[in-house]
Amino acid sequence: MSRPQIRQAPPEPEAAPPDLAALLSQVARGDHRAFELVYAELSGPVYGVVRQVLRDPAQSEEVAQEVLLEIWRTASRFDPDRGSAAAWALTIAHRRAVDRVRSENACSRREQKAAEPEPAEDDVVETVAATLEYQRVRRCMDGLTGLQRESIKLAYYSGYSYPQVAQLLGVAPGTVKTRIRDGLIRMRDCMEVTW
Amino acid sequence: VKAMRDDLHVLTGSYVLDAISDAEREEFERHLQHCPTCETEVRGLRETAARLALACAMTPPARMERRVLAAAHQTRQLPPLSADRPRRALPRHRSLPRARAFPGLLAVLAAAASMVVAVALGITELSAQHQLDRARATSIARVVTASDAHVETAPTSAGGNVTVVTSAALREAVVSSSGMASLPSSRVYQVWVLSPSGARSAGLMHGSSLLAAIRPGDRIGITVEPAGGTARPTTTPVAVLPV
């Protein structure tokens, strides 16, 4: 089942990714060239996570644009001592997407969306299937209990609050809080996240 | 108290996944400032959550890049936080009621920035000009972040480039230039809206110009004119762009 040639792929891609933290400090000084490179690096993950939460392509595009512009605007506030540049940016992206979901009458819109077939799912999977990160996340997700995995997926990828997740899974909110934390800790250790 | 703190500590995971209410978030962020253990855990879990995002990266539509890069040219950046101020545990992201609130937020931030400048210069009162600039910045931000924003860039015969961002829905456009040759004080660059019925002046070019009542098919022209501008274009445009 396991394919050694995939498993043994070098942990880092051959071409060293640009140093996002250094680029962000250039961006903070108004460097548009650096911002282009930041855009190239982050637009995919930003758009991907926003789209994952919002589903609607037009809305996702609008929110992703706002997020990327916010990265330009607030680059001076990024503090490399407090985490990676990607985490800083993707925190903004996820928060914005969730804000959008929870504002307005998001509930009715989501129900409507849920009723439709979701062509989005396929192309999401297709685009990411090849990436190394996806493989890692997938593998580490497999190591979680069912409740941990579902709680994390519903919270992060669907943008539900933990009480909503609890309701969907038919368990107590306190249980979901604990499972999300335990699951993430397990993911952190599995992916050897160092922070 | 112990039980409550344990309860808060368990929120680290839900906090980094944005799965808590605004009220809980505020309470938790207060708690974070006095709980180094929680902060360390939050950092690690936040990096973990970022991996979840990286795993679902998707190529955005190509037009997004042009829009974002153009919008960046029109958007003032926040100054760094001063070093002596206690830093928050995390950048604060207030929830936005609507996407349209974003230009509003920009305006507030622009206002805050101009306050800083005003204080620095010893000016105690915002002048009317500042108020106008603020309103203009808000309008410009609205155009460049519009969901139907369309971007055109062209080189000019006076060097550099001109960029026009148009929102058909708002019927507004923003014109900006970079790298154009500087003119003697007796000359100015003037912006025109060109339509089949003729040329309408959109004022002198300075920084970014906001153009109202734009119609499909209009073109934007820039000419060199005597200081103060003219009622009609008197020279061949250095650039003409469609909207």
Side-chain angles (χ1 to χ4, degrees):
Chain A
M1 184 69 207
S2 84
R3 290 172 175 273
Q5 64 269 36
I6 291 176
R7 285 289 166 87
Q8 286 168 10
E12 296 301 328
E14 315 72 36
D19 181 354
L20 266 181
L23 284 174
L24 276 179
S25 74
Q26 287 172 257
V27 169
R29 298 194 291 267
D31 185 333
H32 287 277
R33 273 296 303 161
F35 185 56
E36 282 175 34
L37 297 174
V38 167
Y39 182 95
E41 201 63 18
L42 288 178
S43 60
V46 163
Y47 180 69
V49 71
V50 169
R51 176 89 188 261
Q52 190 67 244
V53 173
L54 294 178
R55 297 287 160 157
D56 178 70
Q59 241 188 32
S60 303
E61 194 178 328
E62 196 180 320
V63 171
Q65 257 170 241
E66 284 179 14
V67 169
L68 288 156
L69 195 55
E70 181 158 354
I71 290 170
W72 159 260
R73 208 167 49 80
T74 62
S76 66
R77 304 297 164 89
F78 164 66
D79 180 352
D81 294 339
R82 290 174 174 264
S84 71
W88 175 75
L90 294 168
T91 299
I92 297 175
H94 190 261
R95 183 80 57 87
R96 285 278 170 271
V98 167
D99 283 346
R100 177 63 76 95
V101 166
R102 300 206 183 137
S103 62
E104 306 176 358
N105 42 8
C107 296
S108 55
R109 196 190 300 158
R110 285 167 64 83
E111 276 160 23
Q112 201 184 324
K113 290 272 174 239
E116 295 165 9
E118 290 191 351
E121 188 69 35
D122 283 339
D123 57 11
V124 171
V125 173
E126 205 168 67
T127 316
V128 302
T131 74
L132 193 59
E133 201 59 50
Y134 177 78
Q135 303 292 354
R136 278 191 201 148
V137 166
R138 186 63 185 272
R139 184 167 54 82
C140 292
M141 278 268 185
D142 286 347
L144 304 183
T145 69
L147 197 52
Q148 287 172 344
R149 188 166 49 242
E150 283 310 304
S151 299
I152 289 174
K153 280 185 167 177
L154 286 169
Y156 194 74
Y157 289 135
S158 304
Y160 289 115
S161 67
Y162 75 84
Q164 290 170 331
V165 172
Q167 211 174 339
L168 287 168
L169 297 178
V171 296
T175 308
V176 170
K177 270 195 283 193
T178 317
R179 294 303 180 274
I180 286 179
R181 174 170 175 247
D182 294 348
L184 276 180
I185 289 175
R186 207 186 270 195
M187 292 282 289
R188 177 193 69 194
D189 298 342
C190 171
M191 293 192 295
E192 293 165 0
V193 171
T194 52
W195 272 92
Chain B
V1 176
K2 170 90 166 54
M4 201 186 104
R5 289 188 48 170
D6 285 349
D7 202 44
L8 274 175
H9 191 83
V10 169
L11 273 182
T12 49
S14 305
Y15 172 71
V16 303
L17 297 192
D18 299 315
I20 59 179
S21 67
D22 287 349
E24 283 171 310
R25 178 183 299 158
E26 273 177 31
E27 189 188 359
F28 184 74
E29 286 184 351
R30 272 198 304 275
H31 170 69
L32 263 186
Q33 303 195 332
H34 311 290
C35 178
T37 333
C38 306
E39 219 211 328
T40 308
E41 185 170 303
V42 161
R43 281 192 211 182
L45 298 188
R46 169 162 288 140
E47 297 296 327
T48 308
R51 304 295 184 89
L52 298 179
L54 290 171
C56 62
M58 261 180 101
T59 310
R63 60 178 173 263
M64 207 172 97
E65 178 170 10
R66 291 194 304 275
R67 278 188 202 152
V68 169
L69 298 181
H73 278 280
Q74 320 274 1
T75 305
R76 190 184 158 75
Q77 294 176 290
L78 293 191
L81 292 174
S82 58
D84 53 7
R85 227 166 85 190
R87 275 188 295 210
R88 296 188 61 91
L90 294 159
R92 177 141 160 64
H93 306 298
R94 222 165 306 154
S95 67
L96 298 175
R98 286 183 55 88
R100 296 286 172 241
F102 189 57
L105 179 65
L106 279 180
V108 170
L109 293 163
S114 51
M115 276 303 282
V116 171
V117 172
V119 170
L121 297 175
I123 303 164
T124 49
E125 212 174 293
L126 281 178
S127 67
Q129 187 57 46
H130 273 110
Q131 308 272 3
L132 282 175
D133 286 349
R134 241 169 72 186
R136 204 173 128 262
T138 310
S139 306
I140 286 175
R142 197 177 60 221
V143 174
V144 300
T145 59
S147 59
D148 69 334
H150 173 79
V151 184
E152 290 282 344
T153 299
T156 86
S157 59
N161 290 295
V162 174
T163 301
V164 178
V165 185
T166 311
S167 165
L170 294 170
R171 300 186 57 206
E172 288 177 333
V174 172
V175 181
S176 64
S177 66
S178 65
M180 283 170 72
S182 53
L183 296 171
S185 57
S186 59
R187 291 276 181 275
V188 291
Y189 288 115
Q190 191 166 356
V191 184
W192 306 92
V193 178
L194 311 169
S195 63
S197 56
R200 160 165 70 89
S201 172
L204 305 184
M205 182 114 196
H206 47 78
S208 300
S209 307
L210 181 68
L211 280 50
I214 298 296
R215 286 185 217 176
D218 282 353
R219 290 177 306 153
I220 307 299
I222 294 167
T223 59
V224 177
E225 303 295 347
T230 55
R232 306 204 170 280
T234 62
T235 61
T236 310
V238 297
V240 175
L241 288 86
V243 295

